[in-house]
């Protein structure tokens, strides 16, 4: 049997992770003077309350080599092989640490998603489904190699203050965007985040415009599955996206999920993204 493991950055719903028996190792979240575990003893709501009360932006800690090695030792004792999927190396040193740990444990294969959030999560799902179907390690690795460049992960942001506090955009840029009601659309291209468009207006209008831009006239999309992810405490942005996807009518499965603390720490509340797979 082949075991699929991954990091908390995959942002998949707990029910899906449980369904496919995927083991998740959490990244660290530093809030104030304390280190927490993403999704274990801290939530995005905790981070939002801390920042809204004037607290410093939370920072993230990669999983260290020792913790990866402990996970791999535990799993290889119970399974024939382990395939571990990481967030892309341009976003975290998790992948580098997992590779180092795997050098010490036989039958562990570490794969970079070259992506983040549910871009990473879609690869976890494909790997888990293939493992359950009885595919070999070589077959699963080939499947993931084929999938990686076809992933289309993008998202729109309501606020830039989290990115500004985290050093990912300047105060001037954040202020200008706020005054002009501009909302950047960011896409993961070649393993890096790139601003591909700027929308203007309320975040509700922006989400609708963004989804239509991503879907209309597209004949190059694999319509078997699409994933929606957001960082909202409620359903108001997801409901807009869900309605548009439903009216589009092409997708066999629509997976909805909330981003975890790692992604939330960098983009803050009011962010919504969509993961498409190109044919």
């Amino acid at each position: 049997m082949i075991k699929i493991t991954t990091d908390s950055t995959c942002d998949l719903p707990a029910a899906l992770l449980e369904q496919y028996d995927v083991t998740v190792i959490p990244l660290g979240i530093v809030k104030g003077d304390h280190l927490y575990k993403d999704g274990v003893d801290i939530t995005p709501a905790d981070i939002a309350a801390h920042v809204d009360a004037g607290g410093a932006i939370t920072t993230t800690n990669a999983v260290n080599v020792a913790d990866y090695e402990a996970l791999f030792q535990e799993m290889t004792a119970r399974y024939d092989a382990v395939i571990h999927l990481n967030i892309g190396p341009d976003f975290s040193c998790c992948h580098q640490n997992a590779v180092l740990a795997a050098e010490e444990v036989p039958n562990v294969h570490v794969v970079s998603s070259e992506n983040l959030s549910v871009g990473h999560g879609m690869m976890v799902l494909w790997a888990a489904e293939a493992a359950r179907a009885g595919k070999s390690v070589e077959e699963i690795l080939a499947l993931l190699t084929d999938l990686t460049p076809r992933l289309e992960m993008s998202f729109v942001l309501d606020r830039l203050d989290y990115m500004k506090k985290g050093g990912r955009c300047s105060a001037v840029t954040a202020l200008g965007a706020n005054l002009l009601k501009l909302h950047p659309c960011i896409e993961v291209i070649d393993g890096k985040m790139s601003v591909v468009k700027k929308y203007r207006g309320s975040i509700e209008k922006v989400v609708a415009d963004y989804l239509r831009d991503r879907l209309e006239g597209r004949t190059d999309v694999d319509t078997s599955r699409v994933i929606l992810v957001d960082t909202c405490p409620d359903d108001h942005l997801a409901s807009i996206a869900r309605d548009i996807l439903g009216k589009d009518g092409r997708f066999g499965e629509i997976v909805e999920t909330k981003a975890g603390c790692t992604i939330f720490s960098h983009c803050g509340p009011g962010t919504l993204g969509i993961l498409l797979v190109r044919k």
Side-chain angles (χ1 to χ4, degrees):
M1 291 177 63
I2 298 168
K3 175 69 173 179
I4 306 301
T5 61
T6 191
D7 300 336
S8 58
T9 49
C10 71
D11 288 345
L12 289 176
L16 269 182
L17 294 166
E18 184 177 342
Q19 178 184 340
Y20 288 104
D21 191 31
V22 175
T23 295
V24 176
I25 188 166
L27 273 73
I29 303 293
V30 180
K31 180 169 75 75
D33 297 325
H34 298 282
L35 177 64
Y36 300 86
K37 292 182 178 180
D38 184 359
V40 176
D41 54 6
I42 188 170
T43 67
D46 297 328
I47 296 172
H50 171 72
V51 174
D52 288 349
I57 194 73
T58 51
T59 57
T60 56
N61 274 17
V63 180
N64 62 45
V65 176
D67 286 346
Y68 277 128
E69 189 172 337
L71 171 68
F72 297 158
Q73 292 281 11
E74 178 190 351
M75 293 304 162
T76 52
R78 296 162 50 194
Y79 296 87
D80 299 321
V82 172
I83 296 176
H84 180 82
L85 291 108
N86 282 118
I87 188 172
D90 269 19
F91 308 121
S92 169
C93 61
C94 281
H95 180 66
Q96 176 186 340
N97 291 349
V99 168
L100 290 172
E103 291 174 358
E104 306 300 320
V105 186
N107 302 316
V108 176
H109 307 268
V110 176
V111 177
S112 165
S113 68
E114 299 297 315
N115 223 299
L116 50 72
S117 188
V118 294
H120 167 195
M122 182 69 92
M123 292 187 69
V124 173
L125 271 183
W126 278 50
E129 288 172 337
R132 178 158 292 182
K135 300 290 187 184
S136 68
V137 167
E138 292 73 19
E139 287 173 317
I140 297 172
L141 295 178
L143 178 79
L144 295 175
T145 298
D146 173 71
L147 177 62
T148 303
R150 297 194 286 124
L151 297 171
E152 185 178 299
M153 179 73 229
S154 62
F155 51 95
V156 286
L157 294 159
D158 184 28
R159 295 164 54 169
L160 291 183
D161 54 331
Y162 277 67
M163 282 204 166
K164 177 176 76 69
K165 289 180 180 180
R168 292 178 182 264
C169 79
S170 72
V172 173
T173 300
L175 177 63
N178 184 52
L179 291 173
L180 296 171
K181 291 191 175 179
L182 291 177
H183 302 271
C185 174
I186 295 174
E187 184 173 345
V188 178
I189 300 173
D190 296 329
K192 297 178 173 64
M193 289 192 295
S194 300
V195 176
V196 294
K197 188 166 183 175
K198 292 178 182 176
Y199 292 91
R200 178 173 288 181
S202 70
I203 188 61
E204 293 79 12
K205 176 181 181 297
V206 166
V207 163
D209 291 345
Y210 155 68
L211 262 292
R212 293 188 184 103
D213 282 350
R214 286 280 149 181
L215 297 172
E216 285 182 0
R218 296 287 295 271
T219 58
D220 62 334
V221 173
D222 179 339
T223 56
S224 59
R225 175 186 284 148
V226 61
I227 307 181
L228 276 178
V229 61
D230 74 83
T231 64
C232 301
D234 53 32
D235 191 51
H236 81 288
L237 293 187
S239 65
I240 295 169
R242 185 186 309 123
D243 183 57
I244 291 170
L245 284 171
K247 288 176 179 174
D248 182 277
R250 287 180 288 173
F251 293 97
E253 180 185 10
I254 301 171
V255 176
E256 293 187 42
T257 188
K258 295 288 184 180
C261 295
T262 301
I263 301 302
F264 190 93
S265 291
H266 295 296
C267 64
T271 297
L272 180 136
I274 185 172
L275 186 282
L276 299 169
V277 179
R278 293 185 290 267
K279 292 178 182 174

